[in-house]
Amino acid sequence: MARLLEHDAKAILAARGIPVPRGEAVSSPEEARRATVARGGAVVVKALVPVGKRGKAGAVRRASDPEAAAEATAVLLGRQVGGFPVERVLVEEAVPVAQEHYLAIVLDADDRTMRVLASREGGIEVEELARREGGIASLELAPGEVVMPYQARQLWRSTGVRGPALPRLGQLTVALFQAFTELEAELLEVNPLAETATGELVALDAAVVLDDAALYRHPALAALALNSPAWRPPTPLEREVDAINAAEPYRGSARYLELEGGDIGFLCGGGGASLLLFDALLRAGGRPANYAEIGGNPTETKVAALARVVLAKPGVRGLFVAHNLTNNTQVDVLARGVVQALREADRLPPDFPVVARETGVNEAEGRAIFEAAGVRWLGEEATLSQAARIMVQAMRERYGESDGDPARP
Amino acid sequence: MAILLDRNTRVLVQGITGREARMVTAHMLAYGTKVVCGVTPGRGGEEVAGVPVYDTVAEAVAAHQPTAALVSVPPAATLDAALEAIEAGLRLLLIATERVPKHDALCLLYAAHAARVRVIGPNSVGLINPSQRVKLGAIGGDRPERAFTPGRVGIISRSGGMTAELGLMLRQRGFGVSTAVSVGGDALIGTPPADLLPLFEADPETDAVVLFGEPGTRFEEDVAEALADGRFSKPLFALVAGRFTESLPEGTAFGHAAAIIRGGSGRPSAKLTALRQAGAWATSDLDELFRFLDTLASSRADRKPEQH
């Protein structure tokens, strides 16, 4: 689910024959003024953040002259839009619009197919379009197929489009589908796709979502792809975990998502068990401070590095380590990594409650290492739900029932 | 009788000379799986754990007539390997590879569908049939008995790790497993949970099925539909994890690539509701799942899952 910023998305589409407004990304009011002069008319100033519904958030502004563009830029820069700080804006020529259409290509995993979606009316959310009677026309394509211009024209004709725009929409759809397969995208969306009074087409906005599993085949795109939670830029601790994985890409995987508040450090795995364990902590009244996963038989170095990150978040005053019965991840290696990080941070039981439900490969050695460090070790006799309750209980025993904010003494 | 494979199934391992595949091949052989041949292009003539290695699938098929393949190759080679196996006439592919590019996955699933080849995965840890002592993939590691004891409960899981955990928890409570299938952690997989239900329905050795679900996809909703339609009539116990992801903004994947809420769909709470309305025993709490199973076992002493 790698996303691109609008100006990068538009540059990529423009290179593949999709017309876009002339524009440039700038990071100061002065640059915005110059960019507007260069456009030679009215412009639109758009915050460059990887979120939708920017119009509603006031992050898209029209400016009739260079001064107004500089002002709009000054207002937008430094603002937060959808959790992302605006560091740059896109200044592009204002396009006189006669009609707004909608066009998207999606990889539809539910139906295991590729789909072209077209609507005569654009400029509104696709969810809203889908609710309207006959709102979206759809064309399904199997892998290896291409869209012929006549198929695209039929599709657009079925939405009610006629006149000189029809063949142009056909050609543009063919080009967009080619881009979709070439980029190995999950989604290419042009909304609105503007038709001018003379029937010219221009992509006023473009959303590109790439498959991060395919980025290795597209190094130029990989450099542009944004990797963050959907609601804010990565935190410094999250960036640290990216670096940990980059340092040791082939042995095990570490993931870390920082959450607001909380006092229990969460260091679990695998993919399914972590979801279950997090739910179970919440159900027991616990407050996890993060979501982290470690698995795929990681090295001790990687485990220790991730554990350090989990412990480093302010407010963390206990640690929960748990996995499903492991197939290949070695419990002794996990134990060494976790205990090493606890020692370095000088956060050891009983002052700092740690519960580990770790069972599977090299379990006896792992148990011995955990227990020697005072960690409460649990084996297969404890269910994952029970382990979560024991963790929450350990927090209560250490910090009292009042269970106040971790910031308080 | 078993679903998908039995002790006579002849298995080919693609990418058999890789580090992971070598280990998995040894574990499969030790458990009882008939691994008859392997393929690594350029390494024909070698042996892995006594299993002969060929350069091409066609040669391996001509010499050993395997019907099932374990695909254990890097992501970039997965589409190629799967198409080679399909063309050579293999009937069942278990794709273990993680992070297969989505366009490649789509392409290989299309080809498999056209050739009527069953695909489990990608991103599957494997499938196991304890009564036949046969497994395909890493499932259960070198000690499959620890998690999987013969019995009458089927397991369908979107998480490889939870397949083993559920087997272990069932064993502790006196239940055994007929067949356990890790369907794969991706959204684009060959055999989503609902596609396995007809097999378990027809299997006289399965009395009930446990399903492990996650956020994202339509898989659990499709299972609910199969229940509501009467296409599956045995008791279904569903554990759907990840309710907490609903309180976070959507568009972020948790754990598996497919575990993502998008455009308002894929919420665990909606999945649980759909499953319950269709007559499943559905919960997000593991311990409640076991209470359900105990209830069923004691209320149906005439036809209960095997107890020890």
Side-chain angles (χ1 to χ4, degrees):
Chain A
M1 263 291 288
R3 289 156 299 162
L4 298 182
L5 288 172
E6 182 184 350
H7 66 301
D8 289 329
K10 281 179 165 167
I12 285 164
L13 295 187
R16 287 166 177 79
I18 314 290
V20 302
R22 291 176 306 140
E24 63 187 284
V26 305
S27 50
S28 73
E30 185 45 45
E31 285 177 303
R33 188 180 287 119
R34 280 203 298 270
T36 309
V37 171
R39 299 287 85 82
V43 294
V44 180
V45 181
K46 306 172 92 174
L48 284 171
V49 285
V51 294
K53 300 177 184 164
R54 284 173 299 162
K56 278 187 193 139
V60 177
R61 290 163 183 256
R62 297 180 68 86
S64 53
D65 58 53
E67 206 43 50
E71 266 172 44
T73 303
V75 169
L76 289 176
L77 287 176
R79 252 186 62 181
Q80 295 261 328
V81 176
F84 291 82
V86 181
E87 288 162 357
R88 280 180 298 171
V89 298
L90 175 61
V91 177
E92 57 180 28
E93 62 180 342
V95 175
V97 178
Q99 169 77 45
E100 290 187 336
H101 306 296
Y102 174 91
L103 173 62
I105 324 271
V106 294
L107 197 150
D108 184 339
D110 284 341
D111 292 341
R112 295 184 236 172
T113 191
M114 294 182 286
R115 224 179 258 292
V116 181
L117 301 168
S119 171
R120 195 165 78 99
E121 288 178 77
I124 51 176
E125 296 298 318
V126 61
E127 292 88 359
E128 168 66 27
L129 276 175
R131 278 193 289 272
R132 298 189 182 183
E133 184 80 17
I136 302 183
S138 162
L139 173 66
E140 244 183 70
L141 289 133
E145 285 185 344
V146 295
V147 181
M148 291 306 290
Y150 81 88
Q151 291 176 298
R153 289 194 301 273
Q154 276 176 1
L155 181 74
W156 283 106
R157 187 67 198 94
S158 77
T159 70
V161 171
R162 60 195 331 158
L166 185 66
R168 289 180 180 142
L169 281 167
Q171 290 299 344
L172 188 142
T173 304
V174 169
L176 195 70
F177 187 78
Q178 270 168 5
F180 181 78
T181 50
E182 226 177 277
L183 300 168
E184 301 188 69
E186 291 183 34
L187 169 76
L188 292 187
E189 186 185 60
V190 179
N191 185 31
L193 170 56
E195 180 184 333
T196 66
T198 52
E200 307 282 336
L201 299 174
V202 188
L204 290 193
D205 198 357
V208 172
V209 178
L210 300 170
D211 173 11
D212 36 31
L215 283 179
Y216 72 94
R217 292 197 277 233
H218 307 276
L221 297 178
L224 304 173
L226 304 169
N227 176 24
S228 80
W231 62 90
R232 56 160 172 75
T235 66
L237 288 175
E238 286 167 359
R239 287 186 201 279
E240 218 168 292
V241 174
D242 288 341
I244 290 165
N245 281 318
E248 250 187 309
Y250 303 113
R251 281 297 305 278
S253 68
R255 296 189 203 205
Y256 178 82
L257 177 70
E258 198 168 333
L259 298 171
E260 257 176 64
D263 58 354
I264 299 175
F266 182 90
L267 184 57
C268 295
S274 301
L275 293 168
L276 204 62
L277 288 159
F278 199 101
D279 279 347
L281 276 181
L282 293 182
R283 197 178 299 114
R287 292 183 309 256
N290 67 282
Y291 182 83
E293 276 179 55
I294 184 101
N297 198 13
T299 61
E300 185 181 327
T301 322
K302 199 168 220 173
V303 175
L306 182 62
R308 262 180 229 117
V309 167
V310 170
L311 294 171
K313 192 194 155 195
V316 168
R317 49 182 196 166
L319 182 67
F320 185 47
V321 185
H323 280 76
N324 51 252
L325 170 68
T326 66
N327 284 317
N328 63 348
T329 295
Q330 303 168 73
V331 174
D332 58 333
V333 172
L334 263 171
R336 276 190 208 99
V338 169
V339 169
Q340 189 194 325
L342 288 168
R343 289 230 159 87
E344 283 169 15
D346 195 19
R347 301 174 97 170
L348 287 162
D351 274 354
F352 188 86
V354 183
V355 171
R357 195 278 194 178
E358 291 295 343
T359 182
V361 185
N362 303 342
E363 173 176 324
E365 301 90 314
R367 174 183 185 172
I369 296 162
F370 276 128
E371 289 183 338
V375 172
R376 172 96 189 264
W377 176 86
L378 305 168
E380 67 170 70
E381 297 72 24
T383 67
L384 298 175
S385 295
Q386 284 163 350
R389 286 199 293 276
I390 290 167
M391 178 72 220
V392 174
Q393 187 55 35
M395 294 295 279
R396 292 213 175 103
E397 278 163 15
R398 171 64 184 83
Y399 300 107
E401 281 294 335
S402 73
D403 214 22
D405 188 80
R408 283 192 292 173
Chain B
M1 184 60 206
I3 75 163
L4 296 166
L5 78 165
D6 60 35
R7 65 164 68 89
N8 297 315
T9 306
R10 299 169 69 79
V11 172
L12 159 85
V13 177
Q14 288 179 274
I16 192 165
T17 55
R19 187 170 66 104
E20 173 80 6
R22 279 176 183 276
M23 188 179 73
V24 171
T25 299
H27 294 166
M28 286 195 293
L29 285 166
Y31 190 53
T33 307
K34 284 201 169 68
V35 183
V36 293
C37 54
V39 170
T40 297
R43 305 281 292 268
E46 296 183 16
E47 275 191 4
V48 169
V51 174
V53 180
Y54 295 83
D55 287 310
T56 68
V57 176
E59 288 172 282
V61 167
H64 301 279
Q65 299 85 45
T67 56
L70 170 64
V71 183
S72 182
V73 301
T78 304
L79 173 60
D80 186 42
L83 294 181
E84 186 180 3
I86 291 166
E87 187 178 309
L90 276 291
R91 304 309 306 154
L92 170 70
L93 305 188
L94 189 128
I95 303 177
T97 314
E98 242 181 282
R99 290 185 67 80
V100 174
K102 290 194 171 76
H103 282 245
D104 285 3
L106 188 66
C107 194
L108 86 81
L109 294 182
Y110 251 80
H113 183 75
R116 301 180 153 275
V117 170
R118 181 173 290 284
V119 173
I120 308 286
N123 195 3
S124 160
V125 77
L127 70 104
I128 186 166
N129 187 302
S131 71
Q132 300 270 320
R133 284 194 70 87
V134 58
K135 68 169 188 151
L136 193 53
I139 191 165
D142 62 341
R143 290 179 60 197
E145 303 81 4
R146 179 163 182 195
F148 301 104
T149 194
R152 308 191 58 84
V153 179
I155 297 178
I156 304 173
S157 176
R158 287 176 62 186
S159 157
M162 283 306 296
T163 318
E165 179 74 24
L166 285 169
L168 171 66
M169 294 291 116
L170 286 169
R171 180 173 70 72
Q172 283 181 359
R173 283 155 186 79
F175 298 102
V177 167
S178 56
T179 304
V181 185
S182 150
V183 295
D186 294 351
L188 277 162
I189 52 174
T191 308
D195 289 11
L196 287 172
L197 294 179
L199 305 185
F200 279 121
E201 177 79 9
D203 178 21
E205 289 181 4
T206 298
D207 286 345
V209 166
V210 172
L211 167 72
F212 181 80
E214 296 182 354
T217 77
R218 229 168 44 193
F219 295 161
E220 293 77 8
E221 287 84 344
D222 290 344
V223 166
E225 225 179 278
L227 255 59
D229 290 357
R231 277 177 282 152
F232 187 73
S233 63
K234 297 178 180 179
L236 185 103
F237 298 87
L239 179 62
V240 182
R243 286 194 74 155
F244 75 94
T245 65
E246 293 181 38
S247 61
L248 295 165
E250 64 175 50
T252 298
F254 287 86
H256 298 117
I260 180 168
I261 297 173
R262 268 201 256 207
S265 69
R267 294 173 184 279
S269 58
K271 292 173 184 290
L272 286 164
T273 306
L275 285 163
R276 282 187 195 120
Q277 282 173 354
W281 306 61
T283 175
S284 56
D285 178 3
L286 185 67
D287 290 358
E288 191 173 30
L289 183 88
F290 296 127
R291 285 196 291 276
F292 288 162
L293 274 158
D294 289 338
T295 308
L296 182 85
S298 54
S299 73
R300 297 178 14 147
D302 55 328
R303 192 180 157 234
K304 64 185 180 181
E306 181 173 299
Q307 302 253 356
H308 297 275

